[in-house]
């Protein structure tokens, strides 16, 4: 019987500091055993428990795309016991990963449709996974137009800055990066994500919006998409809850009779409407 | 199915023999309480008792359990092995029918198709459950008949004993149970013994005076996550968590790491939805901000969510939470009150 509580051994291959405040870093993890790498089959939107013996575990969305071979990436904000430890780590450290866990962005449902990706601040990690997956040469044809709207409070807080620049050079991707407030060197767009969504006004025709961000952004962004006539079935988001086991047993991340760790974290607004409002 | 009839005075000898061969867990007297414990030399397993203070779930899902061990190496800790060896065979003797049903209910959670909990499943597979029917339901707080159980339900039992007065009827219900046949002698049960058991079962079920509308309230629960009634349930709750720790079906747990010098272990401990920290996130956000939300969660989990997820109600009607709540919150009364709304 496979033991779902035992972490897969990995080594920290690379650490990238993403933001000026230095409290968000991306950890590139390589598997210690080749077989584990082959077995770790994931889909964008899934997460894993980052496991640090002596400290505990933290559920974090997978930020890399399965099209990137040889490693998995996680972008982590320094917040609690485990994430603070992660931020103190050096490259070469041995740690563990449990996963992949949870459902995923509904790739089959997204196929053949125009995709609008909306992200805010640090909640852009599994969206980045989705974007990299969709724009990969093997997959790009499976999706229609891809529009990305991504915002942060200021230019220094944008994550994946180099990648954003690369994406801007592509002609098969409409990317709109915005900051609430620019600085002296910022030449890009200024404005809150909801306002930029209204300005970009993606068509709801055969389109799905995939939205992730802080609650305040979600609150003001959803009405924009309702105005654009996106149905609740075609607005998809991802929930966060305190988790421990990650496999629907320890009993703390339920929303009604659904466990966010096992039945989520990805839900459409139509699905969320059917659940209790407790998240 | 094999059935045996055994004289009452030989039961203690049978239990003693089993204890000599395998681990035996049975009700023992511990100061003023009767508790399920691993029977060691010099301890007598009780043959006459009402029910145990503690639920026997702890022998499959311990209060504190090592999941794995690890040790410090140059580049970080490395996994070195799992927790305690649980490969030994165990017999749990004297489980009441309500508690035996709790195992079946917990199996649904710990032994799912996709994610199996090896710690629970292994102990469960290595354990034979000998249940003793409640010929006289022990407490006024018993309400098993309202939640699909009965004082003589054999669900979850491998061997089922019925007190017929002079002797016990022993029914060997599963392959695991039949492995214990050798201890029970050759006296086969006759039709008379079975008829007597039937009569006792019918009389016992009538002895459960308290019934609650456990199924009837489901529709209300489905429709009323938000309702002023929830403002009233938790008012006197101290958030002590006793109800969840006594409950035979509560299964929530926490996972923690403990390190001493170079060696560490990852442990899971019982946790409780009654505690504010249970759902509090690192950011400080808590989806269940007050005891109101926590009580609603506990009640909904048992009578609505578990039903939606797996079928049965996650309550066996043992009454432990009713008896042990320090401020007399009565889950039966909550169900009744809801049925009147």
């Amino acid at each position: 019987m496979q033991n779902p509580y035992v972490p897969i051994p990995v080594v920290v291959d690379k650490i990238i500091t993403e933001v000026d405040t230095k409290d968000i870093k991306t950890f590139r993890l390589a598997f210690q055993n080749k077989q584990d790498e082959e077995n770790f089959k994931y889909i964008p939107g899934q997460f894993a428990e980052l496991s640090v013996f002596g400290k505990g575990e933290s559920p974090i969305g997978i930020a890399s795309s399965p099209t990137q071979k040889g490693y998995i990436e996680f972008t982590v904000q320094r917040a609690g016991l485990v994430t603070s430890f992660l931020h103190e780590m050096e490259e070469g450290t041995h740690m563990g990963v449990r996963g992949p866990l949870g459902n995923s962005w509904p790739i089959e449902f997204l196929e053949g449709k125009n995709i609008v990706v909306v992200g805010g601040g640090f909640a852009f990690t599994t969206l980045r996974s989705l974007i990299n997956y969709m724009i990969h040469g093997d997959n790009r044809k499976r999706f229609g137009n891809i529009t990305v709207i991504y915002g942060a409070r200021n230019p220094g807080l944008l994550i994946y800055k180099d990648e954003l620049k690369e994406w801007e050079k592509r002609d098969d991707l409409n990317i709109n990066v915005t900051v609430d407030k620019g600085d002296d060197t910022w030449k890009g767009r200024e404005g809150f994500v909801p306002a930029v969504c209204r300005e970009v006004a993606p068509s709801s025709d055969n389109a799905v919006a995939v939205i992730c961000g802080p609650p305040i952004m979600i609150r003001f962004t959803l009405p924009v998409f309702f105005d654009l006539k996106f149905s609740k079935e075609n607005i998809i988001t991802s929930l966060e809850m305190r988790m421990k086991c990650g496999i629907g047993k320890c009993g703390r991340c339920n929303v009604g009779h659904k466990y966010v760790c096992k039945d989520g974290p990805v839900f459409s607004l139509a699905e969320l409407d059917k659940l209790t409002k407790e998240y | 199915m094999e059935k045996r009839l055994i004289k009452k005075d030989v039961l203690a000898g049978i239990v003693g023999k089993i204890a000599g061969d395998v681990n035996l867990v049975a009700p023992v007297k511990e100061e003023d309480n009767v508790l399920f414990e691993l029977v060691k030399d010099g301890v007598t397993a009780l043959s006459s008792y009402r029910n145990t203070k503690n639920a026997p779930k702890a022998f499959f899902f311990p209060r504190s359990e090592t999941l794995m061990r690890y040790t410090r190496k140059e580049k970080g800790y490395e996994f070195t092995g799992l927790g305690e060896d649980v490969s030994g065979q165990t017999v749990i003797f004297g489980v009441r029918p309500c508690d035996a049903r709790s195992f079946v209910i917990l199996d649904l959670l710990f032994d799912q198709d996709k994610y199996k909990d090896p710690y629970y499943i292994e102990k469960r597979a290595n354990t034979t459950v000998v249940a003793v029917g409640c010929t006289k339901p022990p407490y006024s707080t018993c309400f098993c008949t309202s939640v699909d159980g009965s004082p003589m339900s054999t669900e979850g039992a491998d061997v089922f004993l019925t007190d017929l007065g002079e002797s016990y009827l022993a029914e060997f219900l599963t392959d695991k149970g039949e492995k214990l046949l050798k201890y029970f002698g050759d006296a086969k049960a006759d039709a008379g013994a079975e008829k007597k058991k039937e009569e006792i079962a019918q009389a016992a079920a009538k002895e459960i005076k308290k019934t609650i509308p456990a199924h009837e309230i489901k529709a209300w629960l489905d429709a009323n996550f938000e309702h002023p009634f929830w403002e009233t349930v938790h008012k006197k709750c101290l958030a002590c968590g006793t109800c969840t720790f006594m409950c035979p079906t509560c299964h929530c747990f926490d996972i923690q790491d403990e390190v001493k010098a170079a060696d560490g272990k990852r442990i899971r401990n019982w946790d409780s939805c009654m505690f504010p920290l249970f759902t509090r996130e690192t950011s400080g956000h808590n989806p269940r901000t007050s005891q109101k939300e926590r009580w609603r969660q506990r009640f909904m989990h048992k009578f609505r969510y578990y039903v939606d997820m797996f079928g049965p109600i996650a309550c066996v009607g043992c009454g432990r939470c009713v008896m042990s709540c320090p401020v007399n919150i009565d889950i039966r009364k909550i169900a009744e009150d809801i049925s009147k709304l």
Side-chain angles (χ1 to χ4, degrees):
Chain A
M1 197 187 321
Q2 203 220 337
N3 188 325
Y5 296 97
V6 176
I8 303 160
V10 293
V11 58
V12 180
D13 195 36
K14 195 176 175 191
I15 301 174
I16 304 150
T17 302
E18 295 284 357
V19 291
D20 292 353
T21 46
K22 297 187 169 54
D23 63 344
I24 298 174
K25 290 182 180 177
T26 294
F27 299 88
R28 178 173 291 185
L29 309 177
F31 292 92
Q32 290 181 26
N33 308 313
K34 193 75 192 158
Q35 191 58 46
D36 289 336
E37 183 181 331
E38 281 163 28
N39 293 344
F40 195 96
K41 290 193 169 61
Y42 67 100
I43 307 170
Q46 288 193 287
F47 70 98
E49 290 277 356
L50 298 189
S51 189
V52 184
F53 283 134
K55 298 294 173 192
E57 298 185 312
S58 200
I60 307 284
I62 305 173
S64 54
S65 155
T67 50
Q68 296 165 274
K69 303 292 181 196
Y71 59 86
I72 45 175
E73 284 181 342
F74 297 86
T75 303
V76 182
Q77 180 165 38
R78 178 202 286 265
L81 192 66
V82 174
T83 55
S84 295
F85 181 88
L86 292 174
H87 272 250
E88 297 299 323
M89 278 187 329
E90 289 171 3
E91 290 172 0
T93 304
H94 289 192
M95 56 173 283
V97 162
R98 280 202 298 127
L101 300 169
N103 63 0
S104 64
W105 298 120
I107 300 295
E108 282 177 24
F109 177 73
L110 300 182
E111 276 183 54
K113 299 194 173 76
N114 299 318
I115 310 298
V116 185
V117 176
V118 182
F122 155 60
F124 193 54
T125 62
T126 63
L127 294 178
R128 176 230 193 184
S129 171
L130 176 66
I131 294 165
N132 276 328
Y133 177 86
M134 292 190 297
I135 64 176
H136 187 267
D138 293 348
N139 300 327
R140 184 63 192 89
K141 283 199 195 82
R142 293 159 58 199
F143 304 92
N145 298 330
I146 301 174
T147 307
V148 176
I149 298 159
Y150 170 50
R153 287 205 301 274
N154 61 56
L157 290 179
L158 291 165
I159 58 177
Y160 313 130
K161 289 181 191 71
D162 293 342
E163 216 161 44
L164 293 175
K165 281 184 200 130
E166 290 302 312
W167 290 349
E168 274 170 358
K169 290 178 198 157
R170 296 180 69 116
D171 56 9
D172 60 351
L173 183 66
N174 171 12
I175 175 147
N176 306 274
V177 178
T178 180
V179 295
D180 297 352
K181 186 92 182 77
D183 56 20
D184 298 344
T185 58
W186 180 251
K187 293 186 183 69
R189 200 190 274 267
E190 269 191 13
F192 294 115
V193 168
V196 175
C197 288
R198 200 173 287 280
E199 214 176 293
V200 175
S203 161
S204 60
D205 187 33
N206 190 35
V208 179
V210 186
I211 306 178
C212 256
I216 188 80
M217 182 204 97
I218 301 271
R219 200 172 120 200
F220 289 102
T221 302
L222 289 182
V224 179
F225 281 84
F226 293 148
D227 289 349
L228 291 166
K229 303 277 183 271
F230 277 78
S231 71
K232 286 186 168 181
E233 285 76 16
N234 288 352
I235 301 178
I236 319 274
T237 190
S238 182
L239 296 187
E240 282 190 330
M241 289 285 255
R242 182 167 192 190
M243 292 176 190
K244 287 282 179 175
C245 73
I247 54 174
K249 310 227 182 287
C250 79
R252 73 196 63 229
C253 71
N254 70 300
V255 177
H257 69 289
K258 298 283 185 195
Y259 281 112
V260 172
C261 69
K262 186 169 72 73
D263 306 310
V266 172
F267 296 95
S268 71
L269 279 196
E271 287 169 327
L272 287 181
D273 267 359
K274 288 186 200 142
L275 296 178
T276 59
K277 299 285 164 287
E278 195 172 43
Y279 42 85
Chain B
M1 190 206 325
E2 293 283 344
K3 295 183 183 185
R4 293 284 187 276
L5 206 56
I6 52 163
K7 288 282 172 211
K8 263 195 163 166
D9 54 1
V10 303
L11 185 66
I14 292 171
V15 172
K17 269 193 203 142
I18 295 174
D21 294 346
V22 298
N23 300 320
L24 179 79
V25 171
V28 299
K29 191 107 170 80
E30 186 77 50
E31 296 191 331
D32 289 338
N33 294 319
V34 174
L35 300 176
F36 272 114
E37 279 185 8
L38 188 63
V39 177
K40 299 190 182 104
D41 286 347
V43 179
T44 317
L46 299 176
S47 56
S48 175
Y49 58 93
R50 301 211 283 180
N51 198 3
T52 52
K53 181 106 174 164
N54 60 338
K57 71 174 176 187
F59 294 93
F60 304 127
F61 171 52
R63 249 182 303 192
S64 191
E65 176 172 35
T66 301
L67 298 180
M68 66 199 77
R69 297 172 188 283
Y70 47 88
T71 191
R72 183 159 37 212
K73 293 277 162 63
E74 201 184 328
K75 290 180 172 170
Y77 286 94
E78 279 180 16
F79 173 72
T80 53
L82 297 174
E84 295 87 358
D85 176 24
V86 293
S87 54
Q89 295 292 313
T90 299
V91 168
I92 302 192
F93 182 87
V95 176
R96 291 298 184 191
C98 54
D99 290 340
R101 275 196 73 237
S102 78
F103 305 150
V104 179
I105 291 171
L106 288 176
D107 289 348
L108 297 169
L109 178 98
F110 284 115
D111 195 357
Q112 294 177 57
D113 286 343
K114 185 160 183 198
Y115 292 117
K116 295 191 178 295
D117 190 293
Y119 305 91
Y120 174 93
I121 291 171
E122 195 177 348
K123 285 192 276 289
R124 186 87 168 89
N126 292 337
T127 303
T128 308
V129 177
V130 181
V132 180
C134 295
T135 46
K136 290 191 183 67
Y139 304 109
S140 63
T141 46
C142 291
F143 61 102
C144 59
T145 51
S146 299
V147 285
D148 306 314
S150 84
M152 298 291 280
S153 161
T154 59
E155 209 182 335
D158 296 303
V159 179
F160 193 83
L161 301 183
T162 306
D163 185 344
L164 300 178
E166 302 285 295
S167 51
Y168 283 103
L169 170 66
E171 296 167 279
F172 298 83
L173 302 158
T174 63
D175 292 348
K176 265 200 282 187
E178 286 192 352
K179 295 212 172 86
L180 296 184
L181 256 175
K182 60 179 177 184
Y183 297 101
F184 282 80
D186 300 325
K188 300 222 176 191
D190 55 13
E194 285 180 46
K195 188 162 173 284
K196 199 163 180 191
K197 185 204 160 183
E198 252 339 286
E199 287 165 14
I200 288 172
Q202 284 178 16
K206 282 189 196 128
E207 282 296 304
I208 304 274
K209 305 286 189 216
K210 187 74 189 172
T211 58
I212 65 163
H215 286 286
E216 293 79 351
I217 57 174
K218 172 74 164 54
W220 187 91
L221 294 176
D222 286 342
N224 290 284
F225 185 76
E226 299 292 347
H227 190 283
F229 175 74
W230 296 117
E231 301 289 346
T232 64
V233 177
H234 68 286
K235 282 271 165 71
K236 58 183 178 178
C237 178
L238 307 174
C240 70
T242 299
C243 50
T244 55
F245 293 134
M246 306 308 281
C247 178
T249 65
C250 275
H251 58 262
C252 292
F253 60 86
D254 187 18
I255 300 177
Q256 290 290 337
D257 281 42
E258 267 182 23
V259 179
K260 275 182 193 155
D263 296 314
K265 49 188 179 178
R266 182 161 288 164
I267 304 166
R268 76 162 157 208
N269 302 309
W270 286 359
D271 205 343
S272 172
C273 60
M274 292 286 108
F275 300 154
L277 280 180
F278 186 62
T279 48
R280 197 173 85 185
E281 295 164 19
T282 311
S283 64
H285 171 70
N286 193 342
R288 298 185 200 131
T289 47
S290 78
Q291 210 57 18
K292 169 193 153 186
E293 287 83 9
R294 290 169 213 133
W295 243 108
R296 179 174 59 190
Q297 163 63 20
R298 176 169 155 76
F299 197 87
M300 287 274 195
H301 192 190
K302 295 201 168 299
F303 294 95
R304 173 180 162 188
Y305 305 152
Y306 213 82
V307 177
D308 286 341
M309 283 189 273
F310 301 116
I313 292 172
C315 170
V316 293
C318 71
R320 283 189 181 86
C321 60
V322 182
M323 282 188 276
S324 54
C325 178
V327 292
N328 297 323
I329 296 179
D330 187 336
I331 201 163
R332 301 169 305 170
K333 181 154 190 315
I334 297 171
E336 278 171 0
D337 288 350
I338 286 174
S339 72
K340 290 176 197 147
L341 291 170

